[in-house]
mmCIF file with all atom_site columns, all heavy atoms in Angstrom:
data_model
loop_
_atom_site.group_PDB
_atom_site.id
_atom_site.type_symbol
_atom_site.label_atom_id
_atom_site.label_alt_id
_atom_site.label_comp_id
_atom_site.label_asym_id
_atom_site.label_entity_id
_atom_site.label_seq_id
_atom_site.pdbx_PDB_ins_code
_atom_site.Cartn_x
_atom_site.Cartn_y
_atom_site.Cartn_z
_atom_site.occupancy
_atom_site.B_iso_or_equiv
_atom_site.pdbx_formal_charge
_atom_site.auth_seq_id
_atom_site.auth_comp_id
_atom_site.auth_asym_id
_atom_site.auth_atom_id
_atom_site.pdbx_PDB_model_num
ATOM 1   N N   . SER Q 1 63 ? -53.252 41.737 31.652 1.00 0.00 ? 116 SER Q N   1
ATOM 2   C CA  . SER Q 1 63 ? -54.462 42.444 31.111 1.00 0.00 ? 116 SER Q CA  1
ATOM 3   C C   . SER Q 1 63 ? -55.515 42.639 32.204 1.00 0.00 ? 116 SER Q C   1
ATOM 4   O O   . SER Q 1 63 ? -56.151 43.691 32.300 1.00 0.00 ? 116 SER Q O   1
ATOM 5   C CB  . SER Q 1 63 ? -54.903 41.700 29.932 1.00 0.00 ? 116 SER Q CB  1
ATOM 6   O OG  . SER Q 1 63 ? -56.099 42.237 29.405 1.00 0.00 ? 116 SER Q OG  1
ATOM 7   N N   . ILE Q 1 64 ? -55.804 41.546 32.876 1.00 0.00 ? 117 ILE Q N   1
ATOM 8   C CA  . ILE Q 1 64 ? -56.934 41.619 33.852 1.00 0.00 ? 117 ILE Q CA  1
ATOM 9   C C   . ILE Q 1 64 ? -56.479 42.462 35.105 1.00 0.00 ? 117 ILE Q C   1
ATOM 10  O O   . ILE Q 1 64 ? -57.370 43.026 35.713 1.00 0.00 ? 117 ILE Q O   1
ATOM 11  C CB  . ILE Q 1 64 ? -57.471 40.279 34.272 1.00 0.00 ? 117 ILE Q CB  1
ATOM 12  C CG1 . ILE Q 1 64 ? -56.371 39.405 34.972 1.00 0.00 ? 117 ILE Q CG1 1
ATOM 13  C CG2 . ILE Q 1 64 ? -57.960 39.502 33.048 1.00 0.00 ? 117 ILE Q CG2 1
ATOM 14  C CD1 . ILE Q 1 64 ? -56.938 38.148 35.540 1.00 0.00 ? 117 ILE Q CD1 1
ATOM 15  N N   . ARG Q 1 65 ? -55.213 42.470 35.428 1.00 0.00 ? 118 ARG Q N   1
ATOM 16  C CA  . ARG Q 1 65 ? -54.689 43.323 36.549 1.00 0.00 ? 118 ARG Q CA  1
ATOM 17  C C   . ARG Q 1 65 ? -54.979 44.795 36.156 1.00 0.00 ? 118 ARG Q C   1
ATOM 18  O O   . ARG Q 1 65 ? -55.255 45.576 37.049 1.00 0.00 ? 118 ARG Q O   1
ATOM 19  C CB  . ARG Q 1 65 ? -53.209 43.069 36.790 1.00 0.00 ? 118 ARG Q CB  1
ATOM 20  C CG  . ARG Q 1 65 ? -53.010 41.728 37.500 1.00 0.00 ? 118 ARG Q CG  1
ATOM 21  C CD  . ARG Q 1 65 ? -51.567 41.758 38.029 1.00 0.00 ? 118 ARG Q CD  1
ATOM 22  N NE  . ARG Q 1 65 ? -51.200 40.424 38.599 1.00 0.00 ? 118 ARG Q NE  1
ATOM 23  C CZ  . ARG Q 1 65 ? -50.435 39.508 38.014 1.00 0.00 ? 118 ARG Q CZ  1
ATOM 24  N NH1 . ARG Q 1 65 ? -49.943 39.736 36.889 1.00 0.00 ? 118 ARG Q NH1 1
ATOM 25  N NH2 . ARG Q 1 65 ? -50.173 38.307 38.660 1.00 0.00 ? 118 ARG Q NH2 1
ATOM 26  N N   . ALA Q 1 66 ? -54.756 45.098 34.865 1.00 0.00 ? 119 ALA Q N   1
ATOM 27  C CA  . ALA Q 1 66 ? -54.919 46.444 34.459 1.00 0.00 ? 119 ALA Q CA  1
ATOM 28  C C   . ALA Q 1 66 ? -56.389 46.863 34.144 1.00 0.00 ? 119 ALA Q C   1
ATOM 29  O O   . ALA Q 1 66 ? -56.621 48.059 33.891 1.00 0.00 ? 119 ALA Q O   1
ATOM 30  C CB  . ALA Q 1 66 ? -54.006 46.663 33.197 1.00 0.00 ? 119 ALA Q CB  1
ATOM 31  N N   . SER Q 1 67 ? -57.305 45.929 34.207 1.00 0.00 ? 120 SER Q N   1
ATOM 32  C CA  . SER Q 1 67 ? -58.715 46.237 33.826 1.00 0.00 ? 120 SER Q CA  1
ATOM 33  C C   . SER Q 1 67 ? -59.258 47.160 34.773 1.00 0.00 ? 120 SER Q C   1
ATOM 34  O O   . SER Q 1 67 ? -59.031 47.115 36.000 1.00 0.00 ? 120 SER Q O   1
ATOM 35  C CB  . SER Q 1 67 ? -59.459 44.925 33.777 1.00 0.00 ? 120 SER Q CB  1
ATOM 36  O OG  . SER Q 1 67 ? -60.855 45.229 33.579 1.00 0.00 ? 120 SER Q OG  1
ATOM 37  N N   . ARG Q 1 68 ? -60.084 48.060 34.316 1.00 0.00 ? 121 ARG Q N   1
ATOM 38  C CA  . ARG Q 1 68 ? -60.788 49.064 35.174 1.00 0.00 ? 121 ARG Q CA  1
ATOM 39  C C   . ARG Q 1 68 ? -61.865 48.345 35.914 1.00 0.00 ? 121 ARG Q C   1
ATOM 40  O O   . ARG Q 1 68 ? -62.444 48.931 36.861 1.00 0.00 ? 121 ARG Q O   1
ATOM 41  C CB  . ARG Q 1 68 ? -61.330 50.248 34.332 1.00 0.00 ? 121 ARG Q CB  1
ATOM 42  C CG  . ARG Q 1 68 ? -62.390 49.827 33.318 1.00 0.00 ? 121 ARG Q CG  1
ATOM 43  C CD  . ARG Q 1 68 ? -62.989 51.096 32.580 1.00 0.00 ? 121 ARG Q CD  1
ATOM 44  N NE  . ARG Q 1 68 ? -63.985 50.690 31.580 1.00 0.00 ? 121 ARG Q NE  1
ATOM 45  C CZ  . ARG Q 1 68 ? -65.250 50.492 31.871 1.00 0.00 ? 121 ARG Q CZ  1
ATOM 46  N NH1 . ARG Q 1 68 ? -65.685 50.618 33.167 1.00 0.00 ? 121 ARG Q NH1 1
ATOM 47  N NH2 . ARG Q 1 68 ? -66.119 50.099 30.932 1.00 0.00 ? 121 ARG Q NH2 1
ATOM 48  N N   . VAL Q 1 69 ? -62.364 47.195 35.413 1.00 0.00 ? 122 VAL Q N   1
ATOM 49  C CA  . VAL Q 1 69 ? -63.403 46.424 36.094 1.00 0.00 ? 122 VAL Q CA  1
ATOM 50  C C   . VAL Q 1 69 ? -62.743 45.444 37.117 1.00 0.00 ? 122 VAL Q C   1
ATOM 51  O O   . VAL Q 1 69 ? -61.900 44.613 36.669 1.00 0.00 ? 122 VAL Q O   1
ATOM 52  C CB  . VAL Q 1 69 ? -64.271 45.652 35.108 1.00 0.00 ? 122 VAL Q CB  1
ATOM 53  C CG1 . VAL Q 1 69 ? -65.315 44.821 35.801 1.00 0.00 ? 122 VAL Q CG1 1
ATOM 54  C CG2 . VAL Q 1 69 ? -64.930 46.602 34.138 1.00 0.00 ? 122 VAL Q CG2 1
ATOM 55  N N   . ASN Q 1 70 ? -63.044 45.601 38.403 1.00 0.00 ? 123 ASN Q N   1
ATOM 56  C CA  . ASN Q 1 70 ? -62.583 44.605 39.369 1.00 0.00 ? 123 ASN Q CA  1
ATOM 57  C C   . ASN Q 1 70 ? -63.580 44.470 40.467 1.00 0.00 ? 123 ASN Q C   1
ATOM 58  O O   . ASN Q 1 70 ? -63.769 45.345 41.297 1.00 0.00 ? 123 ASN Q O   1
ATOM 59  C CB  . ASN Q 1 70 ? -61.235 45.095 39.923 1.00 0.00 ? 123 ASN Q CB  1
ATOM 60  C CG  . ASN Q 1 70 ? -60.553 44.004 40.802 1.00 0.00 ? 123 ASN Q CG  1
ATOM 61  O OD1 . ASN Q 1 70 ? -61.273 43.247 41.472 1.00 0.00 ? 123 ASN Q OD1 1
ATOM 62  N ND2 . ASN Q 1 70 ? -59.212 44.018 40.842 1.00 0.00 ? 123 ASN Q ND2 1
ATOM 63  N N   . ARG Q 1 71 ? -64.239 43.246 40.531 1.00 0.00 ? 124 ARG Q N   1
ATOM 64  C CA  . ARG Q 1 71 ? -65.220 43.009 41.492 1.00 0.00 ? 124 ARG Q CA  1
ATOM 65  C C   . ARG Q 1 71 ? -64.750 42.153 42.679 1.00 0.00 ? 124 ARG Q C   1
ATOM 66  O O   . ARG Q 1 71 ? -65.514 41.865 43.575 1.00 0.00 ? 124 ARG Q O   1
ATOM 67  C CB  . ARG Q 1 71 ? -66.473 42.280 40.861 1.00 0.00 ? 124 ARG Q CB  1
ATOM 68  C CG  . ARG Q 1 71 ? -67.146 43.051 39.766 1.00 0.00 ? 124 ARG Q CG  1
ATOM 69  C CD  . ARG Q 1 71 ? -68.303 42.332 39.127 1.00 0.00 ? 124 ARG Q CD  1
ATOM 70  N NE  . ARG Q 1 71 ? -67.845 41.097 38.510 1.00 0.00 ? 124 ARG Q NE  1
ATOM 71  C CZ  . ARG Q 1 71 ? -67.401 41.075 37.221 1.00 0.00 ? 124 ARG Q CZ  1
ATOM 72  N NH1 . ARG Q 1 71 ? -67.384 42.213 36.506 1.00 0.00 ? 124 ARG Q NH1 1
ATOM 73  N NH2 . ARG Q 1 71 ? -67.008 39.992 36.709 1.00 0.00 ? 124 ARG Q NH2 1
ATOM 74  N N   . ALA Q 1 72 ? -63.419 41.953 42.611 1.00 0.00 ? 125 ALA Q N   1
ATOM 75  C CA  . ALA Q 1 72 ? -62.832 41.006 43.654 1.00 0.00 ? 125 ALA Q CA  1
ATOM 76  C C   . ALA Q 1 72 ? -62.359 41.781 44.835 1.00 0.00 ? 125 ALA Q C   1
ATOM 77  O O   . ALA Q 1 72 ? -62.086 41.250 45.851 1.00 0.00 ? 125 ALA Q O   1
ATOM 78  C CB  . ALA Q 1 72 ? -61.719 40.183 43.030 1.00 0.00 ? 125 ALA Q CB  1
ATOM 79  N N   . GLY Q 1 73 ? -62.236 43.101 44.757 1.00 0.00 ? 126 GLY Q N   1
ATOM 80  C CA  . GLY Q 1 73 ? -61.740 43.905 45.817 1.00 0.00 ? 126 GLY Q CA  1
ATOM 81  C C   . GLY Q 1 73 ? -60.295 44.473 45.581 1.00 0.00 ? 126 GLY Q C   1
ATOM 82  O O   . GLY Q 1 73 ? -59.546 43.917 44.778 1.00 0.00 ? 126 GLY Q O   1
ATOM 83  N N   . ALA Q 1 74 ? -59.956 45.480 46.342 1.00 0.00 ? 127 ALA Q N   1
ATOM 84  C CA  . ALA Q 1 74 ? -58.706 46.087 46.060 1.00 0.00 ? 127 ALA Q CA  1
ATOM 85  C C   . ALA Q 1 74 ? -57.605 45.120 46.458 1.00 0.00 ? 127 ALA Q C   1
ATOM 86  O O   . ALA Q 1 74 ? -57.596 44.374 47.458 1.00 0.00 ? 127 ALA Q O   1
ATOM 87  C CB  . ALA Q 1 74 ? -58.532 47.343 47.014 1.00 0.00 ? 127 ALA Q CB  1
ATOM 88  N N   . GLY Q 1 75 ? -56.553 45.038 45.585 1.00 0.00 ? 128 GLY Q N   1
ATOM 89  C CA  . GLY Q 1 75 ? -55.371 44.239 45.816 1.00 0.00 ? 128 GLY Q CA  1
ATOM 90  C C   . GLY Q 1 75 ? -55.597 42.751 45.440 1.00 0.00 ? 128 GLY Q C   1
ATOM 91  O O   . GLY Q 1 75 ? -54.719 41.971 45.605 1.00 0.00 ? 128 GLY Q O   1
ATOM 92  N N   . VAL Q 1 76 ? -56.789 42.430 45.009 1.00 0.00 ? 129 VAL Q N   1
ATOM 93  C CA  . VAL Q 1 76 ? -57.074 41.033 44.530 1.00 0.00 ? 129 VAL Q CA  1
ATOM 94  C C   . VAL Q 1 76 ? -57.281 40.971 43.021 1.00 0.00 ? 129 VAL Q C   1
ATOM 95  O O   . VAL Q 1 76 ? -58.109 41.777 42.552 1.00 0.00 ? 129 VAL Q O   1
ATOM 96  C CB  . VAL Q 1 76 ? -58.265 40.447 45.366 1.00 0.00 ? 129 VAL Q CB  1
ATOM 97  C CG1 . VAL Q 1 76 ? -58.528 39.055 44.987 1.00 0.00 ? 129 VAL Q CG1 1
ATOM 98  C CG2 . VAL Q 1 76 ? -58.042 40.585 46.873 1.00 0.00 ? 129 VAL Q CG2 1
ATOM 99  N N   . VAL Q 1 77 ? -56.760 40.039 42.380 1.00 0.00 ? 130 VAL Q N   1
ATOM 100 C CA  . VAL Q 1 77 ? -56.982 39.861 40.917 1.00 0.00 ? 130 VAL Q CA  1
ATOM 101 C C   . VAL Q 1 77 ? -58.330 39.261 40.737 1.00 0.00 ? 130 VAL Q C   1
ATOM 102 O O   . VAL Q 1 77 ? -58.701 38.272 41.275 1.00 0.00 ? 130 VAL Q O   1
ATOM 103 C CB  . VAL Q 1 77 ? -55.889 38.993 40.367 1.00 0.00 ? 130 VAL Q CB  1
ATOM 104 C CG1 . VAL Q 1 77 ? -56.214 38.822 38.840 1.00 0.00 ? 130 VAL Q CG1 1
ATOM 105 C CG2 . VAL Q 1 77 ? -54.486 39.572 40.567 1.00 0.00 ? 130 VAL Q CG2 1
ATOM 106 N N   . ASP Q 1 78 ? -59.177 39.914 39.858 1.00 0.00 ? 131 ASP Q N   1
ATOM 107 C CA  . ASP Q 1 78 ? -60.466 39.444 39.440 1.00 0.00 ? 131 ASP Q CA  1
ATOM 108 C C   . ASP Q 1 78 ? -60.414 38.360 38.439 1.00 0.00 ? 131 ASP Q C   1
ATOM 109 O O   . ASP Q 1 78 ? -60.357 38.652 37.205 1.00 0.00 ? 131 ASP Q O   1
ATOM 110 C CB  . ASP Q 1 78 ? -61.395 40.604 39.000 1.00 0.00 ? 131 ASP Q CB  1
ATOM 111 C CG  . ASP Q 1 78 ? -62.858 40.194 38.847 1.00 0.00 ? 131 ASP Q CG  1
ATOM 112 O OD1 . ASP Q 1 78 ? -63.133 38.955 38.979 1.00 0.00 ? 131 ASP Q OD1 1
ATOM 113 O OD2 . ASP Q 1 78 ? -63.678 41.105 38.512 1.00 0.00 ? 131 ASP Q OD2 1
ATOM 114 N N   . LEU Q 1 79 ? -60.352 37.109 38.891 1.00 0.00 ? 132 LEU Q N   1
ATOM 115 C CA  . LEU Q 1 79 ? -60.101 35.973 37.935 1.00 0.00 ? 132 LEU Q CA  1
ATOM 116 C C   . LEU Q 1 79 ? -61.326 35.693 37.045 1.00 0.00 ? 132 LEU Q C   1
ATOM 117 O O   . LEU Q 1 79 ? -61.169 35.000 35.956 1.00 0.00 ? 132 LEU Q O   1
ATOM 118 C CB  . LEU Q 1 79 ? -59.774 34.750 38.731 1.00 0.00 ? 132 LEU Q CB  1
ATOM 119 C CG  . LEU Q 1 79 ? -58.449 34.783 39.471 1.00 0.00 ? 132 LEU Q CG  1
ATOM 120 C CD1 . LEU Q 1 79 ? -58.274 33.525 40.316 1.00 0.00 ? 132 LEU Q CD1 1
ATOM 121 C CD2 . LEU Q 1 79 ? -57.256 34.992 38.571 1.00 0.00 ? 132 LEU Q CD2 1
ATOM 122 N N   . SER Q 1 80 ? -62.507 36.289 37.397 1.00 0.00 ? 133 SER Q N   1
ATOM 123 C CA  . SER Q 1 80 ? -63.600 36.049 36.518 1.00 0.00 ? 133 SER Q CA  1
ATOM 124 C C   . SER Q 1 80 ? -63.511 36.720 35.139 1.00 0.00 ? 133 SER Q C   1
ATOM 125 O O   . SER Q 1 80 ? -64.014 36.272 34.242 1.00 0.00 ? 133 SER Q O   1
ATOM 126 C CB  . SER Q 1 80 ? -64.930 36.573 37.172 1.00 0.00 ? 133 SER Q CB  1
ATOM 127 O OG  . SER Q 1 80 ? -64.910 37.995 37.196 1.00 0.00 ? 133 SER Q OG  1
ATOM 128 N N   . LEU Q 1 81 ? -62.613 37.698 35.065 1.00 0.00 ? 134 LEU Q N   1
ATOM 129 C CA  . LEU Q 1 81 ? -62.355 38.349 33.782 1.00 0.00 ? 134 LEU Q CA  1
ATOM 130 C C   . LEU Q 1 81 ? -61.683 37.487 32.762 1.00 0.00 ? 134 LEU Q C   1
ATOM 131 O O   . LEU Q 1 81 ? -61.678 37.775 31.572 1.00 0.00 ? 134 LEU Q O   1
ATOM 132 C CB  . LEU Q 1 81 ? -61.540 39.671 34.011 1.00 0.00 ? 134 LEU Q CB  1
ATOM 133 C CG  . LEU Q 1 81 ? -62.211 40.661 34.918 1.00 0.00 ? 134 LEU Q CG  1
ATOM 134 C CD1 . LEU Q 1 81 ? -61.236 41.944 35.030 1.00 0.00 ? 134 LEU Q CD1 1
ATOM 135 C CD2 . LEU Q 1 81 ? -63.497 41.074 34.471 1.00 0.00 ? 134 LEU Q CD2 1
ATOM 136 N N   . LEU Q 1 82 ? -61.102 36.307 33.235 1.00 0.00 ? 135 LEU Q N   1
ATOM 137 C CA  . LEU Q 1 82 ? -60.477 35.438 32.270 1.00 0.00 ? 135 LEU Q CA  1
ATOM 138 C C   . LEU Q 1 82 ? -61.468 34.783 31.410 1.00 0.00 ? 135 LEU Q C   1
ATOM 139 O O   . LEU Q 1 82 ? -61.192 34.315 30.248 1.00 0.00 ? 135 LEU Q O   1
ATOM 140 C CB  . LEU Q 1 82 ? -59.676 34.355 33.054 1.00 0.00 ? 135 LEU Q CB  1
ATOM 141 C CG  . LEU Q 1 82 ? -58.402 34.783 33.722 1.00 0.00 ? 135 LEU Q CG  1
ATOM 142 C CD1 . LEU Q 1 82 ? -57.842 33.697 34.643 1.00 0.00 ? 135 LEU Q CD1 1
ATOM 143 C CD2 . LEU Q 1 82 ? -57.353 35.236 32.749 1.00 0.00 ? 135 LEU Q CD2 1
ATOM 144 N N   . THR Q 1 83 ? -62.759 34.659 31.886 1.00 0.00 ? 136 THR Q N   1
ATOM 145 C CA  . THR Q 1 83 ? -63.792 34.019 31.009 1.00 0.00 ? 136 THR Q CA  1
ATOM 146 C C   . THR Q 1 83 ? -64.896 35.004 30.646 1.00 0.00 ? 136 THR Q C   1
ATOM 147 O O   . THR Q 1 83 ? -65.580 34.729 29.576 1.00 0.00 ? 136 THR Q O   1
ATOM 148 C CB  . THR Q 1 83 ? -64.460 32.836 31.852 1.00 0.00 ? 136 THR Q CB  1
ATOM 149 O OG1 . THR Q 1 83 ? -64.981 33.420 33.089 1.00 0.00 ? 136 THR Q OG1 1
ATOM 150 C CG2 . THR Q 1 83 ? -63.472 31.783 32.113 1.00 0.00 ? 136 THR Q CG2 1
ATOM 151 N N   . ASP Q 1 84 ? -65.236 36.031 31.422 1.00 0.00 ? 137 ASP Q N   1
ATOM 152 C CA  . ASP Q 1 84 ? -66.175 36.962 30.941 1.00 0.00 ? 137 ASP Q CA  1
ATOM 153 C C   . ASP Q 1 84 ? -65.568 37.928 29.865 1.00 0.00 ? 137 ASP Q C   1
ATOM 154 O O   . ASP Q 1 84 ? -65.137 38.978 30.195 1.00 0.00 ? 137 ASP Q O   1
ATOM 155 C CB  . ASP Q 1 84 ? -66.741 37.791 32.182 1.00 0.00 ? 137 ASP Q CB  1
ATOM 156 C CG  . ASP Q 1 84 ? -67.610 36.972 33.081 1.00 0.00 ? 137 ASP Q CG  1
ATOM 157 O OD1 . ASP Q 1 84 ? -68.166 35.969 32.594 1.00 0.00 ? 137 ASP Q OD1 1
ATOM 158 O OD2 . ASP Q 1 84 ? -67.880 37.428 34.220 1.00 0.00 ? 137 ASP Q OD2 1
ATOM 159 N N   . GLY Q 1 85 ? -65.654 37.411 28.705 1.00 0.00 ? 138 GLY Q N   1
ATOM 160 C CA  . GLY Q 1 85 ? -64.940 38.128 27.605 1.00 0.00 ? 138 GLY Q CA  1
ATOM 161 C C   . GLY Q 1 85 ? -65.781 39.195 26.953 1.00 0.00 ? 138 GLY Q C   1
ATOM 162 O O   . GLY Q 1 85 ? -65.249 40.124 26.301 1.00 0.00 ? 138 GLY Q O   1
ATOM 163 N N   . LEU Q 1 86 ? -67.110 39.078 26.955 1.00 0.00 ? 139 LEU Q N   1
ATOM 164 C CA  . LEU Q 1 86 ? -67.910 40.095 26.277 1.00 0.00 ? 139 LEU Q CA  1
ATOM 165 C C   . LEU Q 1 86 ? -67.945 41.388 27.100 1.00 0.00 ? 139 LEU Q C   1
ATOM 166 O O   . LEU Q 1 86 ? -67.952 41.356 28.347 1.00 0.00 ? 139 LEU Q O   1
ATOM 167 C CB  . LEU Q 1 86 ? -69.393 39.622 26.166 1.00 0.00 ? 139 LEU Q CB  1
ATOM 168 C CG  . LEU Q 1 86 ? -69.593 38.361 25.306 1.00 0.00 ? 139 LEU Q CG  1
ATOM 169 C CD1 . LEU Q 1 86 ? -71.067 37.973 25.348 1.00 0.00 ? 139 LEU Q CD1 1
ATOM 170 C CD2 . LEU Q 1 86 ? -69.147 38.569 23.896 1.00 0.00 ? 139 LEU Q CD2 1
#
Side-chain angles (χ1 to χ4, degrees):
S116 174
I117 64 173
R118 286 192 185 106
S120 174
R121 64 179 180 82
V122 178
N123 189 328
R124 296 180 298 275
V129 181
V130 178
D131 187 354
L132 296 176
S133 70
L134 300 182
L135 289 171
T136 56
D137 284 344
L139 299 178

